Amino acid sequence: MSELKQVEREALDALQGVATAEALAAWKSKYLGSKGVVRDLLSKIASIPAEARKAYGQEVNALKDALTSAFDAREAQLAQAALQRDLEGGALDVTLDGRPRQSGRLHPSTQTLRQIMAIWADMGFQVYKSRDVELDDMNFTQLNFPPDHPARDMQDTFYTVDPSVILRTHTSPGQIRAMHELGENGTQPIRVVLPGMCYRFEQITTRSEVQFHQVEGLVVGRNVRMSDLKGTFTQFLKRLFGENTAVRFRASYFPFTEPSMEIDVECFLCGGAGCRVCKYTGWLEVAGSGMVHPNVLRNGGYDPSVWSGFAFGMGPERITMLKHDIQDIRYFWGNDLRFLGQF
Ligand code: DAH
């Protein structure tokens, strides 16, 4: 026991003499290290007579605790002294400006997506999140694309090992799922927006990527008419692009709507006069839309002689590109901070 006391006194005396970080580390290694004095004392326990072992073990542990807390205290003391020296010696200039911190920000697509969703939420639309991995049946057949219909070629598809399971090429299959899940067997009205990533097996170019977002919308009710679609969507576009935005509906074709329309806004870059972005037409296409096809209503569980609806779909990346005159869609997933940092 007196040997332990002796060790403790020696160690604490030595610690008082320690004045540098190196000496401190050496002291720690000598007394508390894996080959240090305390470890050595502990390993001697086998040679202690059995009746004294417990007391010996406790004493060595008490020694270890005492040295550890003395070490911590000395370390803090030395750090404080070093700081004091730096301050007094002028090595630390507390009047310097702070360094600006890099702060994260939202991806431009996320910003546009949130802006779009906030407007639809204000207009009473619920968010319905559908799946990215879809059945071919949902993505096409239920949406009134007959098998071998040429319109399937408009959307080149990523197939999984099971060819009936694909990555959705558009958010429209969510319409069918929303009708089944929220429609209660075709008895309840629906007003939803469906945001999400879509995937197409396409050549990547400045204008097309293999993945992109869409925001789909679906309204089903009694007496829902084309004027509801036009009024609702015009209101949305005014909220997104400004109160004075002019809107144009152009006849088009989609298998899942009848009639179908594409929706244009007056080019906000040139005010309709004609520029490179609007290809000198004065108009920018921002969405597809139409009255839900009776077959699609039926596939969603609704009786089309009683229920009607409208739907729309738009691409936030495209809208972001138009808004900021971005020339190349590949920037969106290129992870280049010089691009992303601008938003
Ligand atoms: N799904 C279409 C596409 O990806 C976009 C679309 C057009 C969605 C018309 C709709 C719609 O809901 O009514 O090209």
Side-chain angles (χ1 to χ4, degrees):
M1 294 302 165
S2 68
E3 188 196 345
L4 297 186
K5 279 288 159 217
Q6 173 90 21
V7 169
E8 178 169 352
R9 207 170 317 113
E10 239 177 62
L12 293 179
D13 282 351
L15 190 59
Q16 283 317 302
V18 162
T20 64
E22 293 76 34
L24 190 65
W27 183 91
K28 189 180 190 185
S29 154
K30 176 173 175 190
Y31 288 99
L32 295 169
S34 59
K35 290 183 182 134
V37 172
V38 170
R39 181 61 77 85
D40 193 44
L41 290 169
L42 272 176
S43 70
K44 282 193 185 134
I45 200 157
S47 64
I48 303 289
E51 65 280 7
R53 258 181 220 163
K54 186 172 172 205
Y56 177 79
Q58 284 170 347
E59 287 292 326
V60 178
N61 277 325
L63 170 65
K64 184 180 172 190
D65 291 345
L67 295 189
T68 303
S69 56
F71 172 84
D72 291 344
R74 186 72 184 141
E75 188 180 43
Q77 230 173 29
L78 289 177
Q80 184 60 38
L83 186 64
Q84 195 66 31
R85 263 199 314 282
D86 283 350
L87 271 174
E88 284 164 6
L92 194 66
D93 183 353
V94 292
T95 66
L96 268 181
D97 285 343
R99 294 198 183 92
R101 275 219 202 172
Q102 288 256 10
S103 63
R105 64 190 76 219
L106 293 175
H107 190 281
S109 291
T110 309
Q111 291 182 32
T112 305
L113 207 51
R114 289 194 181 179
Q115 208 181 349
I116 290 171
M117 299 308 283
I119 296 172
W120 287 117
D122 272 355
M123 291 172 67
F125 283 68
Q126 205 183 332
V127 177
Y128 183 88
K129 287 215 159 180
S130 192
R131 59 192 66 191
D132 290 36
V133 179
E134 253 306 353
L135 296 172
D136 177 271
D137 181 59
M138 284 281 176
N139 195 81
F140 294 117
T141 314
Q142 300 285 322
L143 288 168
N144 200 39
F145 287 78
D148 303 319
H149 189 283
R152 286 186 185 228
D153 294 342
M154 285 158 58
Q155 304 187 354
D156 292 314
T157 308
F158 281 114
Y159 290 88
T160 66
V161 283
D162 176 350
S164 69
V165 178
I166 63 167
L167 298 185
R168 67 176 169 198
T169 61
H170 52 171
T171 43
S172 304
Q175 288 188 29
I176 306 284
R177 295 195 180 274
M179 283 190 276
H180 282 302
E181 201 167 312
L182 308 173
E184 297 179 20
N185 296 316
T187 62
Q188 297 301 314
I190 293 182
R191 189 163 54 192
V192 289
V193 274
L194 309 94
M197 192 67 91
C198 303
Y199 309 86
R200 289 190 198 173
F201 184 46
E202 281 183 12
Q203 189 68 42
I204 298 174
T205 68
T206 54
R207 301 179 60 81
S208 65
E209 253 291 3
V210 292
Q211 64 174 60
F212 52 89
H213 288 99
Q214 282 191 347
V215 175
E216 187 90 10
L218 173 69
V219 172
V220 178
R222 295 170 210 265
N223 305 315
V224 174
R225 291 171 297 194
M226 181 106 110
S227 52
D228 296 310
L229 164 56
K230 293 176 87 169
T232 304
F233 212 85
T234 301
Q235 180 59 29
F236 163 74
L237 289 173
K238 284 175 182 291
R239 292 190 188 197
L240 184 63
F241 292 116
E243 186 51 39
N244 296 321
T245 303
V247 181
R248 172 173 94 167
F249 293 81
R250 241 178 330 103
S252 184
Y253 170 77
F254 301 102
F256 36 89
T257 44
E258 181 59 37
S260 303
M261 295 176 292
E262 272 164 321
I263 306 174
D264 299 342
V265 294
E266 193 171 51
C267 180
F268 38 76
L269 292 163
C270 64
C275 68
R276 189 169 42 81
V277 175
C278 64
K279 301 204 197 75
Y280 303 96
T281 63
W283 295 92
L284 299 167
E285 183 196 321
V286 290
S289 69
M291 302 307 291
V292 182
H293 195 288
N295 290 346
V296 174
L297 283 171
R298 227 175 269 122
N299 292 340
Y302 288 89
D303 176 356
S305 68
V306 182
W307 297 87
S308 54
F310 67 77
F312 53 83
M314 64 192 125
E317 278 79 38
R318 187 175 148 70
I319 289 173
T320 310
M321 288 174 79
L322 294 172
K323 257 183 135 159
H324 299 288
D325 193 12
I326 298 165
Q327 303 290 321
D328 192 333
I329 196 173
R330 292 174 296 188
Y331 285 127
F332 281 88
W333 320 127
N335 285 338
D336 187 338
L337 287 176
R338 290 170 303 180
F339 171 73
L340 298 173
Q342 293 178 52
F343 299 91

